[in-house]
Amino acid sequence: MDSVIDDVGSLPTMLAKPKPERSSSLPLLKTDKSTDSSGSRLSFKTTYDDIPKDSSEPGKEKERAKLKSVSENAKSIDEQVGLGLGLGLGVGSSRIRLSPQFSLYSNTHFTEAKESFTSTEVSELASTVGKGCEDGKVSDKTSSLYRVSTGSELSDDSSSGSYNSAIYKPHKQNDVRWEAIRVVRTRNETSVLEMKHFRQIKRLGCGDIGSVYLSELIGTRSYFAMKVMDKVALASRNKLLRAQTEREILQSLDHPFLPTLYAHFETEKLSCLVMEYCPGGDLHAIRQKQPGKFFPEHAARFYVAEVLLALEYLHMLGIIYRDLKPENVLVREDGHIMLSDFDLSLRCVVNPRLVRFANPVVEPKSSSSCVLPGCIEPSCMFQPSCFGPQFMSKQKKEKRYKTEIYNQVIPLPELIAEPTNARSMSFVGTHEYLAPEIIKGEGHGSAVDWWTFGIFLYELLYGKTPFKGPSNKATLFNVVGHPLKFPETPSVSFAARDLIRGLLVKEPQQRLAYRRGATEIKQHPFFQSVNWALIRCATPPDVPLASPEIVDAKPTDEYLEIDFY
Ligand SMILES: Nc1ncnc2c1ncn2[C@@H]1O[C@H](COP(=O)(O)OP(=O)(O)OP(=O)(O)O)[C@@H](O)[C@H]1O
């Protein structure tokens, strides 16, 4: 898979004649070699920021130097958390980000920050870096419109802040891990979590400038994924703002298919994010294990349906995700998904619009909110079970629809909060997943997520992406210029192909969901059998086995005395 490209704040000119001063540092030229030795897709980001503008040698030397630096960073972090030996580095298998010093945004702060935008303003690199950032290039790209994080806003008790944020997370507040954190804090008579409260069990992956570890909160048998980042490396690689964006987004989330950030703490050199651990791995790895390396349609539908709800929620918060791909979709212990990796996300302001009021008197024929061409079936909006039978007669459909209308006391109002009008000029994403408007540098909004959603569904069903060429450059040309084609095998339903066709429309304005966001996609016949409200109760296609490291975990009191620092 191609590497992630991330040129925040730059106009891509891949198809036009590149400007001379940019030509030497186009990520396209630098990232053609983008798979690791195992052939899996690298999540290695190339940014213009990483490359000096006056560089005359954009090629392999710098790429090698960068990989070496990733490797060294990972090794150094391993050593610092006490896992220095024998784990192998897996260079470039992941990337890592974070900001060393940033304010603790409560949900309220986040809202206040967003309110400072108009609907077309975007908060790319939304906040300025606090005291820790002295890099002129970074602050040049900072939007003054967004709430600024300053050193004075720092909290010494960031884990406490994260802990308290459970109060504002009604969907996650019953999570037993909050209780485990409370127990440790009480037991240690401390308001903050520190590295010494955790035992690192193994490294789950490593990225640009940090590593993710499976960690136990000592003495609780509660397990977390701890993302550990080297602050100096972040600063030197201009990753501070991206990291900060991700952390602020993580703090604002409260959704079953998005990560919970339990705590954040820092040591002198490291910054650590404590998140939910997903033992199921990612959908890219899981796809490789499927017969034929593609998912059966019912499994693909399950995964994309949950991803759709996650994207819908993000868009409602004014967050355009921009990096959807199977690698970023992790599988929880219960088999449901968790969308991860927010450092490429864009924050902007949305103006929620109510397009249909809650009304107890519903006229079936007036449900014009279904925008599918030729679709006059209101039944596509009401489904009785999470994943029911897909095909039924028209008579049955009508009967079912009537029953459901009567069972519904008040139909839900239909709200649209789609940051369609946001305009970012950044060149970010993963080659095979890039939307045409990003490649052409036309400016992009939330419709890019619907494009990537189409590529994602295609890849799950066919085992490959539709526009991949022999090189990254060829891939980009294909995305912009080649018509969409479906392979003859595997056999995929008409509904699935129709949905993909609607999503992979090159002109964003003509793309499905451009006008009404996720609502349009939910109403597509491909999702006819999905009960959106109950999807959390649906049976996942696969439930991961408990991680052997956890099953075999020894009683952990013996680790209490270990002091990492
Ligand atoms: N919550 C988690 N549970 C289980 N594994 C995780 C979790 N978060 C990350 N990982 C694993 O750790 C690896 C590194 O994650 P990290 O977020 O640092 O980088 P990444 O997802 O590869 O992406 P990027 O380089 O795009 O930031 C991932 O590939 C994933 O396999």
Side-chain angles (χ1 to χ4, degrees):
M1 158 62 128
D2 297 302
S3 59
V4 172
I5 29 184
D6 168 24
D7 171 31
V8 181
S10 300
L11 178 68
T13 51
M14 293 303 153
L15 301 173
K17 200 176 168 186
K19 287 180 188 167
E21 68 270 24
R22 277 286 185 213
S23 60
S24 65
S25 60
L26 285 174
L28 175 66
L29 302 176
K30 287 178 54 63
T31 55
D32 264 10
K33 189 171 175 1
S34 56
T35 52
D36 65 14
S37 53
S38 67
S40 69
R41 307 190 252 204
L42 292 180
S43 290
F44 184 67
K45 289 180 183 173
T46 306
T47 72
Y48 290 154
D49 288 342
D50 293 336
I51 308 160
K53 285 201 177 87
D54 58 357
S55 166
S56 55
E57 213 290 79
K60 297 212 164 61
E61 273 312 309
K62 285 184 190 298
E63 191 76 18
R64 268 194 292 273
K66 191 166 177 177
L67 288 172
K68 188 160 172 261
S69 135
V70 171
S71 159
E72 281 164 2
N73 274 323
K75 193 175 170 190
S76 148
I77 291 173
D78 265 6
E79 281 162 1
Q80 290 182 70
V81 299
L83 280 180
L85 299 173
L87 290 174
L89 285 171
V91 173
S93 66
S94 62
R95 59 179 190 258
I96 262 211
R97 54 281 192 246
L98 146 103
S99 135
Q101 301 188 19
F102 26 65
S103 64
L104 274 177
Y105 279 95
S106 69
N107 288 349
T108 317
H109 286 144
F110 191 70
T111 309
E112 281 169 1
K114 287 197 291 186
E115 278 169 359
S116 64
F117 290 92
T118 67
S119 62
T120 51
E121 291 164 339
V122 293
S123 66
E124 192 99 41
L125 300 175
S127 312
T128 52
V129 184
K131 279 194 264 180
C133 177
E134 291 163 4
D135 192 302
K137 270 197 278 178
V138 172
S139 41
D140 280 353
K141 288 180 178 175
T142 300
S143 164
S144 59
L145 294 165
Y146 209 81
R147 184 185 174 88
V148 173
S149 301
T150 65
S152 62
E153 287 179 305
L154 282 174
S155 165
D156 289 328
D157 184 7
S158 47
S159 58
S160 145
S162 296
Y163 175 75
N164 289 337
S165 69
I167 296 162
Y168 307 112
K169 297 182 189 300
H171 293 105
K172 296 290 181 71
Q173 65 186 1
N174 295 327
D175 185 335
V176 291
R177 280 160 281 219
W178 291 118
E179 178 57 15
I181 291 172
R182 194 193 60 75
V183 166
V184 168
R185 287 159 48 120
T186 309
R187 191 174 63 197
N188 293 283
E189 294 179 351
T190 175
S191 58
V192 289
L193 287 181
E194 295 171 41
M195 187 66 96
K196 69 180 180 192
H197 297 130
F198 291 89
R199 176 172 73 100
Q200 314 302 334
I201 298 172
K202 72 165 183 176
R203 187 171 57 196
L204 298 167
C206 69
D208 248 1
I209 36 182
S211 298
V212 178
Y213 297 90
L214 170 61
S215 309
E216 184 197 0
L217 187 57
I218 291 174
T220 66
R221 294 191 80 88
S222 279
Y223 299 90
F224 298 88
M226 186 192 291
K227 187 171 282 194
V228 183
M229 286 149 281
D230 183 314
K231 295 192 270 191
V232 174
L234 284 170
S236 67
R237 297 173 65 83
N238 289 344
K239 309 281 184 189
L240 292 168
L241 283 175
R242 228 163 51 190
Q244 178 172 354
T245 300
E246 181 172 50
R247 181 175 169 235
E248 288 171 2
I249 288 174
L250 283 174
Q251 282 183 319
S252 71
L253 303 178
D254 179 27
H255 191 275
F257 305 137
L258 291 167
T260 303
L261 181 65
Y262 292 93
H264 163 254
F265 58 85
E266 303 202 358
T267 69
E268 191 191 337
K269 291 182 179 164
L270 303 175
S271 186
C272 308
L273 298 174
V274 180
M275 297 175 297
E276 183 177 344
Y277 166 57
C278 293
D282 64 66
L283 282 191
H284 181 63
I286 297 173
R287 180 176 72 71
Q288 307 292 333
K289 293 179 195 152
Q290 303 299 307
K293 299 195 176 177
F294 58 84
F295 286 101
E297 204 158 316
H298 72 91
R301 179 169 22 253
F302 175 88
Y303 292 127
V304 298
E306 296 202 335
V307 166
L308 180 62
L309 292 186
L311 289 176
E312 178 182 43
Y313 172 86
L314 290 173
H315 285 193
M316 287 207 177
L317 292 185
I319 297 165
I320 305 175
Y321 179 56
R322 303 202 295 189
D323 199 17
L324 179 60
K325 55 181 174 178
E327 289 90 327
N328 286 341
V329 181
L330 305 181
V331 175
R332 293 197 150 101
E333 64 180 335
D334 62 3
H336 291 269
I337 67 105
M338 182 179 104
L339 195 58
S340 71
D341 219 354
F342 295 88
D343 59 351
L344 291 187
S345 297
L346 170 76
R347 289 175 292 182
C348 54
V349 162
V350 285
N351 293 323
R353 280 178 297 131
L354 196 60
V355 294
R356 193 181 62 191
F357 291 93
N359 185 352
V361 183
V362 177
E363 307 237 332
K365 291 293 177 194
S366 70
S367 59
S368 56
S369 51
C370 183
V371 296
L372 295 172
C375 177
I376 53 159
E377 286 292 338
S379 57
C380 65
M381 290 156 54
F382 304 99
Q383 292 88 21
S385 65
C386 294
F387 282 83
Q390 279 207 51
F391 301 106
M392 60 175 77
S393 71
K394 199 169 176 186
Q395 264 183 340
K396 264 192 183 170
K397 270 186 190 169
E398 275 168 10
K399 195 174 162 201
R400 188 182 75 175
Y401 173 71
K402 278 178 194 158
T403 313
E404 280 156 13
I405 289 297
Y406 285 118
N407 287 344
Q408 289 205 23
V409 183
I410 301 176
L412 293 173
E414 192 176 299
L415 189 74
I416 295 182
E418 184 68 8
T420 299
N421 294 327
R423 272 291 159 270
S424 166
M425 303 304 280
S426 299
F427 191 55
V428 300
T430 301
H431 287 91
E432 289 166 62
Y433 275 77
L434 280 178
E437 61 267 30
I438 295 184
I439 297 170
K440 290 195 273 183
E442 294 173 345
H444 62 268
S446 55
V448 297
D449 279 344
W450 305 130
W451 172 275
T452 56
F453 187 74
I455 304 274
F456 177 63
L457 175 57
Y458 189 111
E459 182 173 359
L460 296 194
L461 290 172
Y462 289 104
K464 60 183 180 183
T465 55
F467 301 112
K468 186 168 170 54
S471 67
N472 287 335
K473 193 168 185 174
T475 301
L476 298 189
F477 273 96
N478 291 346
V479 170
V480 174
H482 269 206
L484 174 67
K485 285 183 188 154
F486 296 103
E488 281 182 9
T489 57
S491 161
V492 166
S493 72
F494 175 80
R497 281 179 286 131
D498 185 67
L499 175 56
I500 293 170
R501 243 182 250 115
L503 293 164
L504 297 186
V505 170
K506 304 210 192 261
E507 192 57 48
Q509 290 80 6
Q510 310 300 325
R511 196 171 297 153
L512 187 63
Y514 179 81
R515 278 199 310 127
R516 298 192 304 115
T519 307
E520 287 182 40
I521 301 175
K522 286 175 170 177
Q523 292 168 355
H524 191 278
F526 178 68
F527 291 117
Q528 189 174 8
S529 57
V530 178
N531 183 324
W532 295 102
L534 295 181
I535 197 164
R536 267 179 285 174
C537 321
T539 307
D542 198 20
V543 177
L545 297 171
S547 174
E549 290 81 8
I550 290 179
V551 172
D552 300 340
K554 296 175 192 149
T556 51
D557 278 355
E558 66 192 82
Y559 297 93
L560 276 171
E561 301 306 317
I562 295 175
D563 197 347
F564 288 99
Y565 295 91

